[in-house]
Amino acid sequence: MLNQNSEVLRFYEPDKPYGCLSNLSAHPIILDGHTWPTSEHYYQSRKFTEPEEQLIIRNLEDPIEAWRMTRRMAEKVRPDWDSVKEVFMKKALWAKTIQHEEVLQTLLSTGDLYLVEDAADDPYWGVGEDGKGQNRLGILWMEVRKMI
């Protein structure tokens, strides 16, 4: 998708321009009958099938703490996680877009720019340290943008 002629828009930190595209941004979402403090909370909670484990994640104040908690609970992560994780991420991004006008307008303002999560520490969701990561978060945002 990215080639030498693509115009790129990078996002990462929630307090910077286009930061509402970050999963850490303070945009609560309502999904599956609950309010989640951030899309990160929702995504991390879906690693578990038990409502009690999901509740632990939902009740954490900070999205980074939600991420850390899932690392501590790694032995309970659903066995099919790798095959379903993008479904849950896209669901969270869609909810965030339709539930927050700021997110919707920001996403629309990106036009046809290639969206890149500029996360050096994440070669799956972001670009990774070498800039050659999979950028799955940016790609999913572009898919959501096409759905609008």
Side-chain angles (χ1 to χ4, degrees), residues 9-136:
L9 185 143
R10 297 177 181 277
F11 65 93
Y12 182 64
E13 297 179 51
D15 61 340
K16 302 287 186 200
Y18 302 96
C20 65
L21 301 179
S22 166
N23 284 325
L24 307 181
S25 72
H27 292 88
I29 58 174
I30 300 169
L31 271 174
D32 302 334
H34 299 287
T35 300
W36 306 88
T38 66
S39 54
E40 185 72 11
H41 282 80
Y42 176 78
Y43 172 78
Q44 294 298 334
S45 77
R46 289 314 186 227
K47 291 180 178 180
F48 311 101
T49 57
E50 294 298 320
E52 298 81 20
E53 294 160 352
Q54 295 172 359
L55 179 64
I56 290 168
I57 303 302
R58 189 172 71 245
N59 286 336
L60 295 169
E61 280 189 43
D62 183 81
I64 297 297
E65 185 55 32
W67 177 84
R68 287 183 182 135
M69 180 62 75
T70 63
R71 300 309 181 269
R72 292 192 289 268
M73 299 165 58
E75 74 283 351
K76 297 179 181 183
V77 171
R78 54 191 296 163
D80 65 345
W81 181 240
D82 282 339
S83 66
V84 299
K85 64 185 177 184
E86 288 198 18
V87 171
F88 289 114
M89 181 64 81
K90 192 169 183 178
K91 186 176 178 180
L93 299 180
W94 177 252
K96 187 173 177 178
T97 301
I98 63 170
Q99 293 174 23
H100 294 279
E101 186 68 20
E102 173 197 5
V103 177
L104 173 63
Q105 293 307 318
T106 297
L107 185 59
L108 289 174
S109 79
T110 66
D112 61 355
L113 295 175
Y114 189 84
L115 303 179
V116 172
E117 187 192 32
D118 202 12
D121 61 345
D122 192 340
Y124 183 81
W125 292 111
V127 292
E129 190 174 345
D130 64 0
K132 297 178 182 176
Q134 296 180 54
N135 186 41
R136 293 304 302 159

